Amino acid sequence: MLKIKDDIDLNELRKFGFKTGKEWADSGERCLKGAGFEYMHGWWHKFLMDEEDENKIAYISEAYDIPSVQISVRTDFHRDIYVDVAIEGSYHSSDLDVVTETIYELTKAGLLEIKKEMER
């Protein structure tokens, strides 16, 4: 698994477009609002942004609170990166550029390492 190195201050993620879940929720983003999502408020998240409003997250539809593409970093001892992609209707491979470009930039900056699943 990819993870942020232990000696890196997670606030560095801001330079790459990440915000905490609480910041996203406080800005009105519905995917992290409500008591069911509070456990993710301390994690760091980056999303594919809406084409029409770059300040808003792109959701699979207006009917669901599911982001189209999400990159998250847990802030517990794991510090791992996970990616969620939700597909409804059609999408373009360019939608995943946010993932590949972010991983590239984090790697280039020396923030990432590979950690085996069972290690702590």
Side-chain angles (χ1 to χ4, degrees):
M1 90 174 70
L2 284 176
K3 70 175 284 279
I4 304 296
K5 293 178 180 177
D6 291 334
D7 62 342
I8 301 293
D9 181 349
L10 292 176
N11 280 301
E12 288 291 308
L13 294 172
R14 289 187 190 285
K15 296 176 184 174
F16 303 92
F18 287 82
K19 297 180 191 176
T20 65
K22 179 151 180 33
E23 290 171 304
W24 285 110
D26 288 349
S27 73
E29 289 298 348
R30 63 190 198 252
C31 65
L32 288 164
K33 277 188 148 180
F37 297 103
E38 287 180 2
Y39 73 98
M40 292 192 300
H41 281 187
W43 299 1
W44 292 85
H45 308 273
K46 183 175 180 178
F47 300 91
L48 175 67
M49 302 307 284
D50 189 283
E51 289 180 5
E52 295 175 13
D53 185 349
E54 294 179 0
N55 296 313
K56 298 290 181 188
I57 294 171
Y59 292 92
I60 62 169
S61 72
E62 288 301 317
Y64 298 103
D65 298 339
I66 302 169
S68 297
V69 180
Q70 174 178 350
I71 308 168
S72 298
V73 176
R74 292 190 296 179
T75 53
D76 58 7
F77 65 89
H78 294 290
R79 299 170 66 101
D80 57 333
I81 294 176
Y82 73 86
V83 176
D84 282 333
V85 178
I87 300 169
E88 181 174 283
S90 63
Y91 71 102
H92 305 283
S93 62
S94 63
D95 290 349
L96 298 178
D97 287 349
V98 67
V99 175
T100 56
E101 291 170 5
T102 299
I103 297 297
Y104 173 78
E105 293 296 330
L106 292 171
T107 302
K108 187 173 150 185
L111 275 63
L112 296 180
E113 66 184 6
I114 294 176
K115 177 179 160 182
K116 293 185 179 157
E117 257 329 295
M118 299 304 289
E119 293 178 5
R120 282 198 170 224

